[in-house]
mmCIF file of all heavy atoms in Angstrom:
data_model
loop_
_atom_site.group_PDB
_atom_site.id
_atom_site.type_symbol
_atom_site.label_atom_id
_atom_site.label_comp_id
_atom_site.label_asym_id
_atom_site.label_seq_id
_atom_site.Cartn_x
_atom_site.Cartn_y
_atom_site.Cartn_z
ATOM 1 N N LYS A 1 -10.101 4.553 -10.470
ATOM 2 C CA LYS A 1 -11.238 3.685 -10.801
ATOM 3 C C LYS A 1 -12.533 4.349 -10.308
ATOM 4 O O LYS A 1 -13.551 4.396 -11.005
ATOM 5 C CB LYS A 1 -11.002 2.323 -10.129
ATOM 6 C CG LYS A 1 -11.922 1.269 -10.705
ATOM 7 C CD LYS A 1 -11.556 -0.109 -10.092
ATOM 8 C CE LYS A 1 -10.356 -0.617 -10.762
ATOM 9 N NZ LYS A 1 -10.031 -2.015 -10.442
ATOM 10 N N LEU A 2 -12.488 4.863 -9.073
ATOM 11 C CA LEU A 2 -13.716 5.505 -8.523
ATOM 12 C C LEU A 2 -14.127 6.750 -9.291
ATOM 13 O O LEU A 2 -15.300 7.032 -9.410
ATOM 14 C CB LEU A 2 -13.464 5.879 -7.057
ATOM 15 C CG LEU A 2 -13.352 4.740 -6.082
ATOM 16 C CD1 LEU A 2 -12.981 5.194 -4.704
ATOM 17 C CD2 LEU A 2 -14.639 3.895 -6.055
ATOM 18 N N ARG A 3 -13.166 7.471 -9.864
ATOM 19 C CA ARG A 3 -13.481 8.664 -10.618
ATOM 20 C C ARG A 3 -13.792 8.324 -12.096
ATOM 21 O O ARG A 3 -14.099 9.217 -12.868
ATOM 22 C CB ARG A 3 -12.294 9.607 -10.560
ATOM 23 C CG ARG A 3 -12.113 10.253 -9.235
ATOM 24 C CD ARG A 3 -10.866 11.061 -9.233
ATOM 25 N NE ARG A 3 -10.772 11.771 -7.959
ATOM 26 C CZ ARG A 3 -10.749 13.090 -7.856
ATOM 27 N NH1 ARG A 3 -10.811 13.812 -8.881
ATOM 28 N NH2 ARG A 3 -10.595 13.592 -6.663
ATOM 29 N N GLY A 4 -13.697 7.056 -12.490
ATOM 30 C CA GLY A 4 -14.053 6.667 -13.843
ATOM 31 C C GLY A 4 -13.022 6.940 -14.882
ATOM 32 O O GLY A 4 -13.308 6.954 -16.044
ATOM 33 N N PHE A 5 -11.790 7.158 -14.462
ATOM 34 C CA PHE A 5 -10.768 7.499 -15.409
ATOM 35 C C PHE A 5 -10.023 6.250 -16.015
ATOM 36 O O PHE A 5 -9.319 6.405 -16.957
ATOM 37 C CB PHE A 5 -9.700 8.444 -14.810
ATOM 38 C CG PHE A 5 -10.253 9.829 -14.596
ATOM 39 C CD1 PHE A 5 -10.644 10.245 -13.344
ATOM 40 C CD2 PHE A 5 -10.356 10.651 -15.675
ATOM 41 C CE1 PHE A 5 -11.119 11.516 -13.197
ATOM 42 C CE2 PHE A 5 -10.846 11.962 -15.533
ATOM 43 C CZ PHE A 5 -11.237 12.399 -14.288
ATOM 44 N N LEU A 6 -10.176 5.101 -15.400
ATOM 45 C CA LEU A 6 -9.516 3.943 -15.941
ATOM 46 C C LEU A 6 -10.213 3.424 -17.193
ATOM 47 O O LEU A 6 -9.609 2.730 -18.001
ATOM 48 C CB LEU A 6 -9.425 2.825 -14.905
ATOM 49 C CG LEU A 6 -8.401 3.068 -13.789
ATOM 50 C CD1 LEU A 6 -8.308 1.864 -12.891
ATOM 51 C CD2 LEU A 6 -7.029 3.396 -14.345
ATOM 52 N N ALA A 7 -11.499 3.744 -17.329
ATOM 53 C CA ALA A 7 -12.221 3.279 -18.544
ATOM 54 C C ALA A 7 -12.173 4.322 -19.658
ATOM 55 O O ALA A 7 -12.878 4.204 -20.615
ATOM 56 C CB ALA A 7 -13.660 3.001 -18.124
ATOM 57 N N GLN A 8 -11.341 5.327 -19.503
ATOM 58 C CA GLN A 8 -11.250 6.390 -20.524
ATOM 59 C C GLN A 8 -10.714 5.795 -21.835
ATOM 60 O O GLN A 8 -9.681 5.207 -21.856
ATOM 61 C CB GLN A 8 -10.347 7.491 -20.043
ATOM 62 C CG GLN A 8 -10.259 8.678 -20.932
ATOM 63 C CD GLN A 8 -9.416 9.783 -20.286
ATOM 64 O OE1 GLN A 8 -9.208 9.790 -19.133
ATOM 65 N NE2 GLN A 8 -9.030 10.720 -21.111
ATOM 66 N N PRO A 9 -11.460 5.979 -22.943
ATOM 67 C CA PRO A 9 -11.068 5.304 -24.184
ATOM 68 C C PRO A 9 -9.945 5.999 -24.941
ATOM 69 O O PRO A 9 -9.402 5.456 -25.876
ATOM 70 C CB PRO A 9 -12.359 5.351 -24.991
ATOM 71 C CG PRO A 9 -13.074 6.531 -24.505
ATOM 72 C CD PRO A 9 -12.707 6.681 -23.056
ATOM 73 N N SER A 10 -9.549 7.215 -24.539
ATOM 74 C CA SER A 10 -8.538 7.948 -25.256
ATOM 75 C C SER A 10 -7.368 8.326 -24.387
ATOM 76 O O SER A 10 -7.425 8.118 -23.138
ATOM 77 C CB SER A 10 -9.160 9.203 -25.872
ATOM 78 O OG SER A 10 -9.647 10.016 -24.862
ATOM 79 N N SER A 11 -6.349 8.921 -24.955
ATOM 80 C CA SER A 11 -5.212 9.378 -24.205
ATOM 81 C C SER A 11 -5.596 10.563 -23.335
ATOM 82 O O SER A 11 -6.578 11.227 -23.558
ATOM 83 C CB SER A 11 -4.085 9.803 -25.152
ATOM 84 O OG SER A 11 -3.682 8.710 -25.920
ATOM 85 N N TRP A 12 -4.726 10.833 -22.360
ATOM 86 C CA TRP A 12 -4.920 12.034 -21.523
ATOM 87 C C TRP A 12 -4.738 13.263 -22.376
ATOM 88 O O TRP A 12 -3.797 13.329 -23.175
ATOM 89 C CB TRP A 12 -3.889 12.084 -20.370
ATOM 90 C CG TRP A 12 -4.026 10.943 -19.434
ATOM 91 C CD1 TRP A 12 -3.299 9.808 -19.363
ATOM 92 C CD2 TRP A 12 -4.991 10.837 -18.375
ATOM 93 N NE1 TRP A 12 -3.723 9.003 -18.375
ATOM 94 C CE2 TRP A 12 -4.773 9.608 -17.767
ATOM 95 C CE3 TRP A 12 -6.012 11.627 -17.942
ATOM 96 C CZ2 TRP A 12 -5.551 9.173 -16.655
ATOM 97 C CZ3 TRP A 12 -6.773 11.196 -16.844
ATOM 98 C CH2 TRP A 12 -6.543 9.967 -16.247
ATOM 99 N N PRO A 13 -5.617 14.218 -22.285
ATOM 100 C CA PRO A 13 -5.470 15.430 -23.076
ATOM 101 C C PRO A 13 -4.295 16.323 -22.649
ATOM 102 O O PRO A 13 -3.740 17.067 -23.442
ATOM 103 C CB PRO A 13 -6.781 16.168 -22.894
ATOM 104 C CG PRO A 13 -7.352 15.657 -21.612
ATOM 105 C CD PRO A 13 -6.826 14.262 -21.457
ATOM 106 N N SER A 14 -3.925 16.249 -21.352
ATOM 107 C CA SER A 14 -2.818 17.081 -20.851
ATOM 108 C C SER A 14 -2.310 16.519 -19.557
ATOM 109 O O SER A 14 -2.976 15.708 -18.925
ATOM 110 C CB SER A 14 -3.276 18.520 -20.678
ATOM 111 O OG SER A 14 -4.208 18.582 -19.636
ATOM 112 N N VAL A 15 -1.194 17.046 -19.047
ATOM 113 C CA VAL A 15 -0.657 16.677 -17.745
ATOM 114 C C VAL A 15 -1.613 17.207 -16.680
ATOM 115 O O VAL A 15 -1.836 16.595 -15.641
ATOM 116 C CB VAL A 15 0.749 17.197 -17.556
ATOM 117 C CG1 VAL A 15 1.226 17.026 -16.131
ATOM 118 C CG2 VAL A 15 1.709 16.420 -18.436
ATOM 119 N N GLU A 16 -2.209 18.391 -16.893
ATOM 120 C CA GLU A 16 -3.090 18.955 -15.945
ATOM 121 C C GLU A 16 -4.301 18.062 -15.692
ATOM 122 O O GLU A 16 -4.803 17.972 -14.581
ATOM 123 C CB GLU A 16 -3.604 20.342 -16.425
ATOM 124 C CG GLU A 16 -2.568 21.427 -16.331
ATOM 125 C CD GLU A 16 -1.624 21.428 -17.563
ATOM 126 O OE1 GLU A 16 -1.924 20.764 -18.609
ATOM 127 O OE2 GLU A 16 -0.554 22.001 -17.458
ATOM 128 N N ALA A 17 -4.789 17.396 -16.727
ATOM 129 C CA ALA A 17 -5.896 16.449 -16.521
ATOM 130 C C ALA A 17 -5.470 15.311 -15.603
ATOM 131 O O ALA A 17 -6.288 14.843 -14.791
ATOM 132 C CB ALA A 17 -6.407 15.901 -17.873
ATOM 133 N N MET A 18 -4.262 14.853 -15.744
ATOM 134 C CA MET A 18 -3.805 13.762 -14.867
ATOM 135 C C MET A 18 -3.689 14.271 -13.430
ATOM 136 O O MET A 18 -3.962 13.553 -12.490
ATOM 137 C CB MET A 18 -2.463 13.231 -15.376
ATOM 138 C CG MET A 18 -2.635 12.460 -16.635
ATOM 139 S SD MET A 18 -1.121 11.805 -17.399
ATOM 140 C CE MET A 18 0.144 11.891 -16.277
ATOM 141 N N THR A 19 -3.256 15.519 -13.240
ATOM 142 C CA THR A 19 -3.143 16.040 -11.874
ATOM 143 C C THR A 19 -4.452 16.189 -11.201
ATOM 144 O O THR A 19 -4.567 16.071 -9.979
ATOM 145 C CB THR A 19 -2.370 17.431 -11.828
ATOM 146 O OG1 THR A 19 -3.112 18.309 -12.609
ATOM 147 C CG2 THR A 19 -0.986 17.285 -12.309
ATOM 148 N N ARG A 20 -5.544 16.423 -11.964
ATOM 149 C CA ARG A 20 -6.871 16.482 -11.371
ATOM 150 C C ARG A 20 -7.318 15.099 -10.914
ATOM 151 O O ARG A 20 -8.047 15.003 -9.906
ATOM 152 C CB ARG A 20 -7.854 17.050 -12.396
ATOM 153 C CG ARG A 20 -7.720 18.551 -12.600
ATOM 154 C CD ARG A 20 -8.931 19.131 -13.323
ATOM 155 N NE ARG A 20 -9.157 18.547 -14.651
ATOM 156 C CZ ARG A 20 -8.542 19.011 -15.764
ATOM 157 N NH1 ARG A 20 -7.693 19.990 -15.674
ATOM 158 N NH2 ARG A 20 -8.828 18.451 -16.893
ATOM 159 N N VAL A 21 -6.850 14.069 -11.581
ATOM 160 C CA VAL A 21 -7.252 12.737 -11.202
ATOM 161 C C VAL A 21 -6.502 12.328 -9.890
ATOM 162 O O VAL A 21 -7.031 11.858 -8.912
ATOM 163 C CB VAL A 21 -6.933 11.686 -12.288
ATOM 164 C CG1 VAL A 21 -7.190 10.324 -11.806
ATOM 165 C CG2 VAL A 21 -7.778 12.018 -13.494
ATOM 166 N N PHE A 22 -5.173 12.534 -9.889
ATOM 167 C CA PHE A 22 -4.326 12.119 -8.793
ATOM 168 C C PHE A 22 -4.008 13.304 -7.880
ATOM 169 O O PHE A 22 -2.876 13.522 -7.556
ATOM 170 C CB PHE A 22 -3.044 11.459 -9.319
ATOM 171 C CG PHE A 22 -3.316 10.337 -10.246
ATOM 172 C CD1 PHE A 22 -3.093 10.427 -11.610
ATOM 173 C CD2 PHE A 22 -3.841 9.150 -9.782
ATOM 174 C CE1 PHE A 22 -3.341 9.400 -12.463
ATOM 175 C CE2 PHE A 22 -4.134 8.087 -10.644
ATOM 176 C CZ PHE A 22 -3.886 8.189 -11.955
ATOM 177 N N HIS A 23 -5.040 14.030 -7.450
ATOM 178 C CA HIS A 23 -4.810 15.239 -6.697
ATOM 179 C C HIS A 23 -4.265 15.022 -5.277
ATOM 180 O O HIS A 23 -3.708 15.901 -4.689
ATOM 181 C CB HIS A 23 -6.050 16.104 -6.606
ATOM 182 C CG HIS A 23 -7.184 15.457 -5.895
ATOM 183 N ND1 HIS A 23 -7.284 15.505 -4.508
ATOM 184 C CD2 HIS A 23 -8.244 14.713 -6.304
ATOM 185 C CE1 HIS A 23 -8.384 14.866 -4.119
ATOM 186 N NE2 HIS A 23 -8.949 14.353 -5.223
ATOM 187 N N CYS A 24 -4.363 13.803 -4.733
ATOM 188 C CA CYS A 24 -3.851 13.584 -3.392
ATOM 189 C C CYS A 24 -2.417 13.097 -3.389
ATOM 190 O O CYS A 24 -1.864 12.832 -2.352
ATOM 191 C CB CYS A 24 -4.747 12.622 -2.638
ATOM 192 S SG CYS A 24 -4.783 10.967 -3.370
ATOM 193 N N PHE A 25 -1.759 13.054 -4.527
ATOM 194 C CA PHE A 25 -0.348 12.580 -4.599
ATOM 195 C C PHE A 25 0.542 13.669 -5.050
ATOM 196 O O PHE A 25 1.398 13.473 -5.955
ATOM 197 C CB PHE A 25 -0.255 11.376 -5.504
ATOM 198 C CG PHE A 25 -0.990 10.143 -5.012
ATOM 199 C CD1 PHE A 25 -2.228 9.814 -5.470
ATOM 200 C CD2 PHE A 25 -0.423 9.387 -3.940
ATOM 201 C CE1 PHE A 25 -2.895 8.716 -4.974
ATOM 202 C CE2 PHE A 25 -1.100 8.313 -3.458
ATOM 203 C CZ PHE A 25 -2.362 7.958 -3.918
ATOM 204 N N HIS A 26 0.420 14.883 -4.545
ATOM 205 C CA HIS A 26 1.305 16.012 -4.967
ATOM 206 C C HIS A 26 2.559 15.992 -4.095
ATOM 207 O O HIS A 26 2.519 15.857 -2.869
ATOM 208 C CB HIS A 26 0.553 17.324 -4.809
ATOM 209 C CG HIS A 26 -0.507 17.520 -5.868
ATOM 210 N ND1 HIS A 26 -0.154 17.887 -7.158
ATOM 211 C CD2 HIS A 26 -1.817 17.347 -5.861
ATOM 212 C CE1 HIS A 26 -1.294 17.977 -7.869
ATOM 213 N NE2 HIS A 26 -2.292 17.640 -7.098
ATOM 214 N N THR A 27 3.662 16.080 -4.805
ATOM 215 C CA THR A 27 4.977 16.215 -4.158
ATOM 216 C C THR A 27 5.696 17.350 -4.879
ATOM 217 O O THR A 27 5.275 17.764 -5.936
ATOM 218 C CB THR A 27 5.813 14.930 -4.278
ATOM 219 O OG1 THR A 27 6.113 14.741 -5.672
ATOM 220 C CG2 THR A 27 5.075 13.698 -3.718
ATOM 221 N N PRO A 28 6.812 17.828 -4.361
ATOM 222 C CA PRO A 28 7.566 18.835 -5.065
ATOM 223 C C PRO A 28 8.002 18.383 -6.464
ATOM 224 O O PRO A 28 8.039 19.128 -7.453
ATOM 225 C CB PRO A 28 8.776 19.095 -4.145
ATOM 226 C CG PRO A 28 8.336 18.755 -2.829
ATOM 227 C CD PRO A 28 7.336 17.612 -2.992
ATOM 228 N N VAL A 29 8.282 17.096 -6.607
ATOM 229 C CA VAL A 29 8.721 16.556 -7.917
ATOM 230 C C VAL A 29 7.553 16.545 -8.879
ATOM 231 O O VAL A 29 7.709 17.009 -10.053
ATOM 232 C CB VAL A 29 9.240 15.120 -7.747
ATOM 233 C CG1 VAL A 29 9.538 14.502 -9.106
ATOM 234 C CG2 VAL A 29 10.512 15.136 -6.900
ATOM 235 N N THR A 30 6.360 16.171 -8.453
ATOM 236 C CA THR A 30 5.212 16.177 -9.413
ATOM 237 C C THR A 30 4.849 17.581 -9.753
ATOM 238 O O THR A 30 4.469 17.827 -10.913
ATOM 239 C CB THR A 30 3.978 15.427 -8.785
ATOM 240 O OG1 THR A 30 3.587 16.088 -7.612
ATOM 241 C CG2 THR A 30 4.274 13.965 -8.596
ATOM 242 N N GLU A 31 4.943 18.492 -8.805
ATOM 243 C CA GLU A 31 4.666 19.938 -9.158
ATOM 244 C C GLU A 31 5.635 20.464 -10.194
ATOM 245 O O GLU A 31 5.268 21.176 -11.117
ATOM 246 C CB GLU A 31 4.734 20.788 -7.873
ATOM 247 C CG GLU A 31 3.639 20.518 -6.908
ATOM 248 C CD GLU A 31 2.249 20.735 -7.411
ATOM 249 O OE1 GLU A 31 2.039 21.703 -8.202
ATOM 250 O OE2 GLU A 31 1.343 19.951 -7.092
ATOM 251 N N TYR A 32 6.935 20.110 -10.026
ATOM 252 C CA TYR A 32 7.893 20.532 -10.996
ATOM 253 C C TYR A 32 7.669 19.983 -12.386
ATOM 254 O O TYR A 32 7.751 20.649 -13.394
ATOM 255 C CB TYR A 32 9.345 20.140 -10.495
ATOM 256 C CG TYR A 32 10.457 20.574 -11.418
ATOM 257 C CD1 TYR A 32 10.962 21.913 -11.247
ATOM 258 C CD2 TYR A 32 10.926 19.815 -12.445
ATOM 259 C CE1 TYR A 32 11.943 22.326 -12.085
ATOM 260 C CE2 TYR A 32 11.900 20.250 -13.259
ATOM 261 C CZ TYR A 32 12.428 21.523 -13.090
ATOM 262 O OH TYR A 32 13.446 21.979 -13.924
ATOM 263 N N VAL A 33 7.287 18.704 -12.445
ATOM 264 C CA VAL A 33 7.004 18.062 -13.726
ATOM 265 C C VAL A 33 5.803 18.736 -14.385
ATOM 266 O O VAL A 33 5.844 19.000 -15.593
ATOM 267 C CB VAL A 33 6.756 16.537 -13.515
ATOM 268 C CG1 VAL A 33 6.192 15.933 -14.791
ATOM 269 C CG2 VAL A 33 8.026 15.838 -13.097
ATOM 270 N N VAL A 34 4.774 19.054 -13.605
ATOM 271 C CA VAL A 34 3.582 19.662 -14.200
ATOM 272 C C VAL A 34 3.979 21.007 -14.814
ATOM 273 O O VAL A 34 3.494 21.427 -15.844
ATOM 274 C CB VAL A 34 2.462 19.800 -13.122
ATOM 275 C CG1 VAL A 34 1.354 20.714 -13.584
ATOM 276 C CG2 VAL A 34 1.918 18.442 -12.813
ATOM 277 N N GLN A 35 4.832 21.746 -14.088
ATOM 278 C CA GLN A 35 5.216 23.093 -14.547
ATOM 279 C C GLN A 35 6.124 23.076 -15.781
ATOM 280 O O GLN A 35 6.113 23.971 -16.579
ATOM 281 C CB GLN A 35 5.886 23.893 -13.426
ATOM 282 C CG GLN A 35 4.960 24.226 -12.300
ATOM 283 C CD GLN A 35 5.673 24.776 -11.117
ATOM 284 O OE1 GLN A 35 6.886 24.993 -11.137
ATOM 285 N NE2 GLN A 35 4.953 25.036 -10.055
ATOM 286 N N HIS A 36 6.976 22.043 -15.893
ATOM 287 C CA HIS A 36 8.049 22.071 -16.894
ATOM 288 C C HIS A 36 7.947 20.968 -17.965
ATOM 289 O O HIS A 36 8.859 20.822 -18.753
ATOM 290 C CB HIS A 36 9.406 21.942 -16.202
ATOM 291 C CG HIS A 36 9.677 23.050 -15.242
ATOM 292 N ND1 HIS A 36 10.080 24.298 -15.627
ATOM 293 C CD2 HIS A 36 9.600 23.117 -13.878
ATOM 294 C CE1 HIS A 36 10.189 25.069 -14.573
ATOM 295 N NE2 HIS A 36 9.921 24.380 -13.514
ATOM 296 N N TRP A 37 6.887 20.182 -18.003
ATOM 297 C CA TRP A 37 6.841 18.994 -18.867
ATOM 298 C C TRP A 37 6.917 19.402 -20.358
ATOM 299 O O TRP A 37 7.309 18.528 -21.201
ATOM 300 C CB TRP A 37 5.611 18.128 -18.585
ATOM 301 C CG TRP A 37 4.331 18.706 -19.025
ATOM 302 C CD1 TRP A 37 3.597 19.626 -18.366
ATOM 303 C CD2 TRP A 37 3.610 18.382 -20.207
ATOM 304 N NE1 TRP A 37 2.430 19.922 -19.051
ATOM 305 C CE2 TRP A 37 2.443 19.141 -20.210
ATOM 306 C CE3 TRP A 37 3.844 17.523 -21.280
ATOM 307 C CZ2 TRP A 37 1.484 19.095 -21.197
ATOM 308 C CZ3 TRP A 37 2.921 17.475 -22.300
ATOM 309 C CH2 TRP A 37 1.750 18.218 -22.266
ATOM 310 N N GLN A 38 6.500 20.612 -20.727
ATOM 311 C CA GLN A 38 6.545 20.924 -22.137
ATOM 312 C C GLN A 38 7.834 21.620 -22.617
ATOM 313 O O GLN A 38 8.001 21.929 -23.787
ATOM 314 C CB GLN A 38 5.351 21.850 -22.492
ATOM 315 C CG GLN A 38 4.025 21.076 -22.511
ATOM 316 C CD GLN A 38 2.888 21.989 -22.942
ATOM 317 O OE1 GLN A 38 2.761 23.121 -22.531
ATOM 318 N NE2 GLN A 38 2.062 21.417 -23.820
ATOM 319 N N GLU A 39 8.769 21.831 -21.705
ATOM 320 C CA GLU A 39 10.035 22.475 -22.038
ATOM 321 C C GLU A 39 10.981 21.480 -22.668
ATOM 322 O O GLU A 39 11.103 20.321 -22.197
ATOM 323 C CB GLU A 39 10.684 23.081 -20.787
ATOM 324 C CG GLU A 39 9.839 24.192 -20.179
ATOM 325 C CD GLU A 39 10.393 24.658 -18.885
ATOM 326 O OE1 GLU A 39 11.490 24.290 -18.495
ATOM 327 O OE2 GLU A 39 9.701 25.475 -18.199
ATOM 328 N N ASP A 40 11.659 21.879 -23.744
ATOM 329 C CA ASP A 40 12.563 21.023 -24.433
ATOM 330 C C ASP A 40 13.674 20.494 -23.528
ATOM 331 O O ASP A 40 14.080 19.346 -23.599
ATOM 332 C CB ASP A 40 13.169 21.681 -25.640
ATOM 333 C CG ASP A 40 12.096 21.866 -26.758
ATOM 334 O OD1 ASP A 40 11.102 21.196 -26.765
ATOM 335 O OD2 ASP A 40 12.338 22.766 -27.616
#
């Protein structure tokens, strides 16, 4: 809310954009998801 992302009118352009918003919530699981989310 403070960064103004809740009022965004469109979808997230990428997972990387979401990681920039939630940068203080990094865990090994979130890092893995960011690296592998586009793999079948």
Side-chain angles (χ1 to χ4, degrees):
K1 196 175 282 190
L2 290 175
R3 289 174 175 242
F5 287 103
L6 288 185
Q8 186 173 343
S10 60
S11 298
W12 295 101
S14 67
V15 170
E16 288 81 16
M18 289 178 15
T19 59
R20 285 195 300 274
V21 175
F22 304 109
H23 65 84
C24 62
F25 294 101
H26 287 281
T27 66
V29 173
T30 58
E31 293 298 324
Y32 183 85
V33 170
V34 167
Q35 292 171 4
H36 301 282
W37 73 279
Q38 287 186 316
E39 296 173 8
D40 289 340

